[in-house]
Amino acid sequence: MAAPDPSCTPRILGIDPGTRVLGYGVVDLVVASTGAASTTGPGWQYVECGVIRADTALAMPQRIGTIAAEMLDVMDELRPTAVAIEAAFCGKNAASALKLGQIRGAMMVLAAQRELPVFEYGPTVVKRAVAGHGRATKCELQARVQMLLGLRRAPTEDAADALAIAMCHANYISFPGGQQSSGGQHSGPAGRVPA
């Protein structure tokens, strides 16, 4: 599949990875008529959000396959120009971290096959960019996403996290050298991460 047209409105697919439930959220970056992002902050337009569930009775390869097939449909239907995904973090449970790494890798492969750049942001960076501080609770993040996107009701936790990841990347696009981008790992289609 050909890469998206870079002259079109930036459409960001945010992914909150999970092997049982994966959240996704898509926002368009609203650009001023001058062609530049707003100087007062990014403008977001909500496109879609949801979750992809895998049967926990399935073996891990089948769960990853189920989630990947559904995500492929989302990418093909909504045609994002970039993918933002929650960065890997070291938790207390090594087995959980390994499983998350597997689903993250599968999502990155899908993006690479569509020639989409992939950007990674840690949870604290995402919370700071959207909620104003890095220790926001799930409920605070849901409420903030609902308010900023003008949604009638709050999205589910996983979908709200994915929308927040997409919005965090929109901040990076709007302010590439600013504080909103600190801590994020930005990798292009070849998977290179600047040092």
Side-chain angles (χ1 to χ4, degrees):
M1 174 174 273
D5 180 359
S7 66
C8 66
T9 299
R11 175 166 283 183
I12 305 157
L13 168 62
I15 298 175
D16 180 36
T19 57
R20 291 177 297 174
V21 179
L22 178 140
Y24 72 90
V26 181
V27 297
D28 287 343
L29 178 62
V30 178
V31 180
S33 60
T34 61
S38 166
T39 56
T40 59
W44 304 288
Q45 181 174 355
Y46 171 81
V47 177
E48 182 176 308
C49 71
V51 295
I52 299 171
R53 297 184 189 280
D55 184 350
T56 56
L58 294 174
M60 188 55 65
Q62 285 73 33
R63 287 198 321 212
I64 292 171
T66 297
I67 292 170
E70 291 289 328
M71 181 52 70
L72 193 59
D73 290 343
V74 169
M75 287 180 172
D76 288 345
E77 178 185 338
L78 300 177
R79 301 185 50 82
T81 59
V83 174
I85 190 167
E86 186 174 69
F89 59 95
C90 297
K92 294 179 183 177
N93 188 331
S96 293
L98 181 60
K99 290 175 185 175
L100 270 179
Q102 292 171 333
I103 196 68
R104 289 178 73 254
M107 297 302 103
M108 290 178 177
V109 167
L110 293 178
Q113 289 174 340
R114 275 148 184 68
E115 300 179 32
L116 297 172
V118 175
F119 301 86
E120 300 176 70
Y121 299 92
T124 303
V125 173
V126 172
K127 290 174 183 180
R128 193 175 334 134
V130 176
H133 61 94
R135 294 185 179 263
T137 66
K138 292 274 191 187
C139 288
E140 287 176 309
L141 198 60
Q142 281 177 286
R144 189 74 175 156
V145 166
Q146 178 185 8
M147 190 269 303
L148 289 171
L149 293 176
L151 304 175
R152 287 186 288 176
R153 62 184 159 179
T156 65
E157 285 183 3
D158 297 297
D161 287 351
L163 284 168
I165 293 163
M167 294 162 70
C168 177
H169 182 61
N171 282 352
Y172 172 73
I173 292 171
S174 299
F175 306 106
Q179 64 180 16
Q180 300 294 355
S181 64
S182 64
Q185 297 177 5
H186 315 290
S187 60
R192 287 174 254 157
V193 178

